[in-house]
Amino acid sequence: MTLCHNTGKYIYTIFVENVIMTNQNQSRVTIKVLNQMKNKSEKISMLTAYDFSFAKIIDEAGIDIILVGDSASNVMAGHETTLPITLDQMIYHASSVVRAVKRALVIVDLPFGTYQADSKEALKSAIKIMKESGAHAVKLEGGYQAKESIERIIQAGIPVMGHLGLTPQSIYKFGTYEVRAKDKDEASTLLNDAVMLEEIGCFSVLLEKIPNLLSKKVFSKLNVPIIGIGAGNHVDGQVLVLQDMLGMNKDFSPRFLRRYLDLDTLISKAVKKYSTDIKSGDFPNKEEQY
Ligand code: KIV
């Protein structure tokens, strides 16, 4: 039982069959629910979030999965790549998101350098994320080379989402953010890796920036839900970076990105008006003071 800080009321959790409910009648999205959605061919929606305010809005809007992506390194901290973000920084973002979320499944990226050295370090990093953020699962990049780490994490009871295709933590190996696995060899490795990820127990696989036909092949081989970003529509769900789909990043226009708002312009207009109102003495007016 937990005390809700906003209302002062106690929120209790009861378990009804496979759905976790709260007394606010909110059913949680669990891995079991995602599998049921896949079996019913119901598409899965996923977005990134890195802070309490946005996470609360998108959770209340009904998004199924919230990813605390290491894209926080770019989006929140302004780094050129995802490489610099640390485990503690990821946990700070993840715990802010978890505090806001009542329904969505929250997945957190293991950042670069916290799981590649060996599988024991990978497990330690995953446990730290789960313990200190309260998230529900982790995601990590890579196929065969990450196998042992993923197995160890799953054995500890932590759900893992795999990530194949354009894996941004390997950007200096790729040298480009172009579409991956266009050639036969890379496509065949990706397909084998996807099958292996399912076999070792990943609850889902994320495919980033690969040809539509390759996603279709992966889809035909796997039973777990597949989430795509720039991987076409032959998958079970889609993910986008929240700030990109809200139009806050004018300089980023890949073909796969659909913008649902021009928030950059809207925020800029609001800030300019606020500034003008202060300078003209219009703000605050009589009703806006004590
Ligand atoms: O970190 C991230 O935001 C991601 C998405 C691009 C899927 O991994």
Side-chain angles (χ1 to χ4, degrees), residues 18 28-37 44 105 107 136-137 157-160 201-204 224-225:
N18 50 41
R28 279 252 178 217
V29 177
T30 60
I31 288 163
K32 199 153 192 172
V33 169
L34 296 178
N35 284 321
Q36 288 166 345
M37 289 172 78
I44 298 164
L105 185 86
I107 305 175
H136 312 128
I158 301 172
V160 175
C202 284
F203 73 92
S204 171
V224 294

Side-chain angles (χ1 to χ4, degrees), residues 48 50 67 69-71 82 109 139 163 206 208 229 239 241:
T48 66
Y50 320 101
L67 171 67
D70 59 356
S71 50
T82 57
D109 265 336
K139 171 166 86 60
H163 183 162
L206 188 143
E208 179 163 355
I229 174 164
V239 59
V241 168

Side-chain angles (χ1 to χ4, degrees), residues 7 18 45 74 98 103 106 115 126 165-166 195 198-199 202 225 254:
T7 62
N18 50 41
S45 60
N74 313 98
V98 168
R103 176 182 173 274
V106 179
Y115 62 96
L166 177 62
V195 171
E198 172 169 303
E199 277 170 5
C202 284

Side-chain angles (χ1 to χ4, degrees), residues 124-241:
K124 262 193 193 168
S125 305
I127 288 177
K128 191 168 159 69
I129 285 183
M130 300 297 282
K131 250 188 191 305
E132 295 181 22
S133 74
H136 312 128
V138 298
K139 171 166 86 60
L140 60 97
E141 297 181 6
Y144 193 75
Q145 70 278 19
K147 183 171 181 269
E148 205 184 303
S149 297
I150 295 172
E151 281 174 326
R152 203 180 266 267
I153 295 170
I154 293 172
Q155 273 161 19
I158 301 172
V160 175
M161 174 183 267
H163 183 162
L164 299 172
L166 177 62
T167 45
Q169 290 177 15
S170 302
I171 189 57
Y172 291 117
K173 183 178 87 180
F174 298 144
T176 164
Y177 284 101
E178 289 292 290
V179 177
R180 300 306 312 172
K182 284 202 282 193
D183 70 69
K184 247 184 163 183
D185 285 352
E186 198 177 326
S188 138
T189 304
L190 189 144
L191 195 55
N192 293 336
D193 281 346
V195 171
M196 179 275 295
L197 289 176
E198 172 169 303
E199 277 170 5
I200 64 171
C202 284
F203 73 92
S204 171
V205 175
L206 188 143
L207 300 176
E208 179 163 355
K209 229 172 169 190
I210 62 166
N212 191 23
L213 282 179
L214 180 56
S215 307
K216 199 175 173 181
K217 273 192 194 156
V218 177
F219 182 76
S220 72
K221 297 240 179 216
L222 263 53
N223 297 303
V224 294
I226 301 169
I227 307 293
I229 174 164
N233 56 3
H234 293 290
V235 287
D236 301 292
Q238 299 291 333
V239 59
L240 285 175
V241 168

Side-chain angles (χ1 to χ4, degrees), residues 45-62:
S45 60
M46 173 164 160
L47 273 175
T48 66
Y50 320 101
D51 70 302
F52 181 89
S53 314
F54 270 129
K56 187 166 188 297
I57 295 170
I58 66 174
D59 185 52
E60 285 172 1

